[in-house]
């Protein structure tokens, strides 16, 4: 068994909450990879061979057990949010951070009728071409570079557990319509229309994601939750407008033998009970440091895998000893089985390399220092 197979088996055992030889570290990082390798952002998001090798170099320094991406393009964000994206070297300085630009109501209310007339796929193509800087065309170099990047990661023994993102209808339109218009004008005032539109999008996405799983030989996918947490919407609204998509995407993943990773930004503590509906040992709860990770373990039990949740601010402002203690205390409380250590969402671009290394080392050394019976 080669290194890639060993790492992948460790990750799959961790998803099933089985004992492993060491607690895996599975970073999520993009801009940090550029900064730590002293690569200008414009170069990092355009020269994918350079980005791929930089990512591998840092992951090997960490002795990472896996990753959540191999290469990245900020043009992906505009397609996911029906918005424009400010790009380093185009709209911004060469070494500035990319940024989603949420133009108020980039999408008009009348667009819902157009979706009903011509279908989600055709409408989305036209909208992204006309209103989102033609992002599909801009993404072609990224898609072309992906196969080689995956090959290089395989050669280096580093599995990727997130091959693409499954997007809920809620997230699409929250970005395109803007937060205020979407929540107030659409969901509250036109709930029947929104259910009709959501059903159209979901039906299309399930077919498209099924084919994408086949085409990419996906190991795992993110099922994203950004603005669907209880910081912004009520549990009743989540249950009505979001949970059906989560269930449908989860079911597709299980059918296709793909790991569903619920990537949950912001504070999801009040909604943890809903995830009891999914079978333990089959999915991952990927939490940032806003959700109470210990409460997640308490609510969902010892047979649900949790990924997270070293706070971004700790990786930037604290020291290695603080990071080591945080990870160790976390594993004392919710591990060691069924835990993948990572930052809370992305490693921040200005994280200290020594802190990131301390995060990985603390995970890898835990079982040596705390042997299990």
């Amino acid at each position: 068994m080669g290194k890639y197979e060993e790492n992948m088996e460790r990750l799959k055992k961790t998803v099933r909450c089985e004992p492993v030889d060491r607690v895996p570290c599975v970073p999520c990082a993009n801009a940090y990879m550029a900064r730590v390798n002293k690569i200008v952002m414009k170069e990092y998001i355009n020269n994918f061979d350079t980005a791929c090798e930089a990512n591998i170099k840092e992951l090997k320094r960490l002795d990472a057990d896996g990753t959540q991406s191999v290469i990245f393009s900020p043009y992906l964000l505009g397609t996911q949010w029906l918005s424009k994206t400010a790009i380093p070297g185009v709209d911004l300085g060469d070494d500035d951070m990319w940024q989603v630009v949420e133009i108020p109501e980039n999408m008009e209310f009348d667009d819902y009728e157009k979706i009903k007339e011509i279908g989600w796929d055709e409408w989305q193509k036209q909208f992204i071409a006309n209103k989102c800087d033609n992002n599909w065309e801009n993404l072609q170099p990224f898609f072309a570079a992906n196969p080689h990047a995956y090959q290089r990661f395989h050669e280096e023994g580093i599995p990727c557990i997130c091959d693409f993102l499954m997007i809920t209808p809620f997230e699409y339109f929250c970005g395109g319509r803007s937060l205020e218009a979407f929540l107030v004008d659409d969901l509250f005032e036109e709930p029947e229309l929104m259910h009709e539109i959501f059903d159209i999008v979901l039906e299309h996405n399930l077919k498209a994601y099924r084919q994408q799983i086949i085409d990419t030989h996906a190991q795992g996918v993110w099922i994203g939750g950004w603005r669907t947490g209880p910081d912004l919407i009520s549990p009743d609204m989540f249950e009505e407008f979001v949970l059906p998509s989560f269930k449908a995407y989860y079911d597709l993943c299980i059918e296709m033998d793909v790991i569903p990773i619920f990537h949950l930004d912001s504070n999801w503590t009040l909604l943890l009970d809903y995830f009891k509906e999914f079978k333990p040992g089959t999915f991952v709860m990927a939490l940032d440091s806003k959700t109470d990770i210990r409460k997640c373990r308490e609510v969902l039990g010892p047979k649900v895998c949790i990924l997270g949740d070293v706070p971004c601010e700790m990786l930037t402002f604290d020291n290695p000893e603080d990071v080591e203690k945080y990870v160790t205390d976390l594993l004392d409380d919710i591990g060691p089985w069924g835990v993948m250590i990572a930052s809370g969402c992305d490693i921040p671009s200005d994280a200290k390399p020594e802190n990131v290394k301390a995060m990985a080392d603390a995970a890898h050394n835990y079982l040596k220092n705390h042997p299990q019976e």
Side-chain angles (χ1 to χ4, degrees):
M1 184 182 294
K3 183 178 179 182
Y4 180 91
E5 290 75 20
E6 289 178 0
N7 280 334
M8 181 57 74
E9 181 61 19
R10 182 181 300 115
L11 297 178
K12 289 183 176 180
K13 284 184 176 180
T14 302
V15 174
R16 298 192 298 264
C17 299
E18 297 173 0
V20 288
D21 58 330
R22 71 177 189 178
V23 176
C25 178
V26 189
C28 178
N30 291 304
Y32 166 78
M33 296 297 195
R35 297 280 192 237
V36 75
N37 284 284
K38 297 180 172 54
I39 301 172
V40 173
M41 288 295 176
K42 177 183 176 181
E43 174 77 1
Y44 182 79
I45 64 170
N46 286 289
N47 189 328
F48 294 112
D49 285 339
T50 296
C52 178
E53 296 305 320
N55 294 350
I56 289 172
K57 178 183 176 182
E58 177 63 5
L59 290 168
K60 289 178 69 175
R61 183 182 78 90
L62 302 176
D63 192 21
D65 304 87
T67 184
Q68 296 178 57
S69 67
V70 293
I71 53 175
F72 172 77
S73 171
Y75 286 115
L76 289 166
L77 302 174
T79 64
Q80 296 162 3
W81 281 86
L82 300 180
S83 301
K84 294 183 178 182
T85 308
I87 303 295
V90 178
D91 314 283
L92 305 169
D94 288 354
D95 202 31
D96 289 343
M97 273 293 303
W98 53 81
Q99 179 64 54
V100 174
V101 181
E102 287 196 60
I103 300 171
E105 298 186 49
N106 193 37
M107 173 188 169
E108 302 294 333
F109 184 83
D110 290 344
D111 279 308
Y112 290 130
E113 290 301 322
K114 294 178 184 177
I115 292 171
K116 291 166 63 176
E117 291 173 10
I118 65 176
W120 168 247
D121 187 43
E122 184 59 32
W123 178 88
Q124 187 187 31
K125 289 176 182 176
Q126 293 180 14
F127 185 85
I128 288 173
N130 297 326
K131 292 291 191 72
C132 301
D133 295 330
N134 200 20
N135 272 1
W136 286 129
E137 187 67 28
N138 295 326
L139 280 166
Q140 292 312 304
F142 167 79
F143 291 135
N146 251 317
H148 177 68
Y150 270 91
Q151 179 184 346
R152 286 289 299 119
F153 270 69
H154 194 285
E155 291 169 354
E156 296 294 343
I158 306 170
C160 181
I161 63 167
C162 177
D163 295 292
F164 64 91
L165 166 65
M166 292 183 172
I167 308 164
T168 66
F170 187 108
E171 299 289 354
Y172 279 123
F173 299 123
C174 191
R177 288 282 289 142
S178 81
L179 180 62
E180 181 179 3
F182 177 63
L183 289 178
V184 177
D185 298 340
D186 302 351
L187 292 182
F188 283 113
E189 296 186 4
E190 301 286 346
E192 292 184 4
L193 172 63
M194 296 314 301
H195 278 300
E196 184 178 3
I197 295 298
F198 279 25
D199 287 345
I200 292 171
V201 176
L202 183 59
E203 181 181 7
H204 172 273
N205 279 3
L206 288 170
K207 294 177 182 178
Y209 291 153
R210 177 184 296 273
Q211 190 60 50
Q212 195 168 352
I213 288 171
I214 295 170
D215 292 343
T216 63
H217 307 285
Q219 300 282 350
V221 299
W222 276 356
I223 300 174
W226 289 268
R227 290 186 173 177
T228 49
D231 279 349
L232 283 173
I233 64 174
S234 69
D236 287 345
M237 185 174 286
F238 171 81
E239 186 171 345
E240 180 177 359
F241 290 106
V242 183
L243 187 59
S245 297
F246 274 22
K247 288 181 176 179
Y249 291 160
Y250 169 86
D251 288 343
L252 176 62
C253 288
I254 298 306
E255 178 191 342
M256 302 293 287
D257 194 26
V258 168
I259 301 168
I261 303 169
F262 291 105
H263 182 96
L264 306 174
D265 287 346
S266 77
N267 188 345
W268 284 71
T269 306
L270 294 178
L271 296 182
L272 292 173
D273 279 327
Y274 285 101
F275 294 89
K276 291 179 179 178
E277 300 190 28
F278 306 110
K279 183 179 178 181
T282 65
F283 67 98
V284 178
M285 295 288 285
L287 308 176
D288 68 19
S289 55
K290 304 308 177 186
T291 297
D292 186 336
I293 195 169
R294 291 166 173 81
K295 186 67 174 180
C296 181
R297 175 59 80 218
E298 176 187 332
V299 170
L300 299 184
K303 295 299 183 180
V304 169
C305 179
I306 300 176
L307 187 154
D309 80 323
V310 181
C312 291
E313 59 269 23
M314 175 171 283
L315 293 173
T316 297
F317 297 111
D318 286 16
N319 57 55
E321 292 74 23
D322 295 324
V323 174
E324 179 184 5
K325 184 178 187 306
Y326 185 92
V327 173
T328 301
D329 290 348
L330 184 63
L331 291 172
D332 283 344
D333 292 343
I334 72 168
W337 317 133
V339 180
M340 299 182 188
I341 292 297
S343 57
C345 197
D346 275 27
I347 296 174
S349 62
D350 56 355
K352 297 175 184 175
E354 59 270 26
N355 285 352
V356 178
K357 185 67 164 65
M359 176 180 70
D361 288 347
H364 293 155
N365 293 332
Y366 183 84
L367 292 175
K368 298 176 185 176
N369 299 327
H370 303 79
Q372 306 296 299
E373 294 182 0

